[in-house]
């Protein structure tokens, strides 16, 4: 009979999923920073890339807490989300709506991370890994903060895109 899979296994597997996702995001953020038209958006992506290095480091500590070595497991969701971002970069290159599109793509990434970290934090508490829960909460806080900052930038980006729309209509 197959070994029974427990919440402990699920926690470990999901940790591998987000570890893969964070590493993928580390590679994507510099491209998004390069593509962004507004200086503020470039700076926001750059700032979050540095934070993401910290997210990877925290995950490595969590692996250590559960006595496993850091290992990623292909996360189809983050591949799909970042592929869509790449599509925007390509199809909206130098277009007025580019930054609005990049922001939407980045927020989809943040929302995925927020969902994962919230779940992992809860499971860590359930499993009695309080130190791991605290580490996961710290990253969750940073993801939520980033999401808020991106929402604010999105207002400006959407205004710019809308202005171009008006000019085109004149
Ligand atoms: Fe992250
Ligand atoms: Fe993030």
């Amino acid at each position: 009979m197959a070994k029974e899979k427990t919440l402990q296994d699920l926690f470990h597997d999901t940790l591998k999923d987000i570890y893969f996702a964070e590493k993928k995001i580390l590679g994507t953020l510099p491209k998004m920073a390069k593509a962004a038209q507004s200086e503020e958006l470039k700076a926001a992506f750059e700032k979050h890339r540095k934070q993401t290095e910290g997210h990877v480091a925290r995950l490595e500590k969590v692996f250590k807490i559960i006595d496993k070595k850091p290992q990623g497991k292909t996360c189809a969701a983050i591949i799909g989300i970042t592929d869509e971002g790449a599509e925007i970069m390509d199809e909206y290159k130098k277009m007025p709506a580019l930054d609005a599109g990049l922001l939407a793509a980045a927020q989809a990434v943040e929302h995925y991370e927020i969902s994962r970290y919230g779940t992992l934090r809860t499971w860590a508490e359930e499993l009695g890994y309080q130190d791991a829960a605290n580490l996961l909460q710290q990253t969750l806080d940073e993801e939520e903060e980033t999401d808020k900052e991106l929402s604010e930038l999105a207002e400006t980006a959407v205004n710019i895109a809308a202005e171009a729309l008006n000019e085109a209509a004149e």
Side-chain angles (χ1 to χ4, degrees):
M1 219 174 76
K3 180 184 167 282
E4 273 189 24
K5 289 195 176 180
T6 62
L7 186 62
Q8 178 78 35
D9 297 309
L10 193 57
F11 181 70
H12 184 209
D13 274 337
T14 309
L15 211 55
K16 288 188 204 167
D17 170 287
I18 194 70
Y19 189 63
F20 176 94
E22 290 284 19
K23 289 203 152 182
K24 175 86 185 158
I25 294 161
L26 259 188
T28 303
L29 279 167
K31 290 178 201 158
M32 293 179 74
K34 200 171 165 230
Q37 286 167 335
S38 103
E39 288 307 315
E40 285 98 333
L41 187 53
K42 274 184 195 296
F45 286 151
E46 184 51 35
K47 177 182 163 195
H48 198 52
R49 191 195 58 79
K50 286 202 188 84
Q51 280 182 330
T52 299
E53 286 172 2
H55 300 174
V56 169
R58 279 194 199 113
L59 287 173
E60 287 169 355
K61 285 186 192 163
V62 176
F63 277 109
K64 204 164 182 204
I65 290 171
I66 64 164
D67 232 359
K68 300 282 183 192
K69 63 173 197 312
Q71 202 187 346
K73 182 184 179 193
T74 307
C75 166
I78 206 71
I79 291 174
I81 293 170
T82 52
D83 277 355
E84 284 189 0
E87 223 173 83
I88 297 275
M89 278 188 254
D90 182 41
E91 292 174 8
Y92 284 82
K93 205 173 188 171
K94 299 200 170 92
M95 297 292 162
L98 174 67
D99 281 7
L102 290 177
L103 277 150
Q107 284 193 282
V109 170
E110 291 316 301
H111 292 179
Y112 181 73
E113 291 183 289
I114 288 167
S115 155
R116 282 298 185 230
Y117 279 108
T119 297
L120 282 165
R121 190 256 352 260
T122 303
W123 288 346
E125 282 170 353
E126 195 64 42
L127 292 163
Y129 298 124
Q130 196 49 54
D131 289 349
N134 294 342
L135 289 164
L136 295 163
Q137 181 67 54
Q138 283 171 37
T139 298
L140 178 58
D141 290 343
E142 285 179 4
E143 307 292 14
E144 283 176 343
E145 211 176 284
T146 300
D147 184 45
K148 249 185 239 155
E149 282 175 25
L150 294 176
S151 286
E152 280 160 26
L153 289 176
E155 277 182 43
T156 320
V158 168
N159 286 340
I160 290 169
E163 258 167 51
L165 192 69
N166 291 338
E167 276 163 28
E170 269 162 24

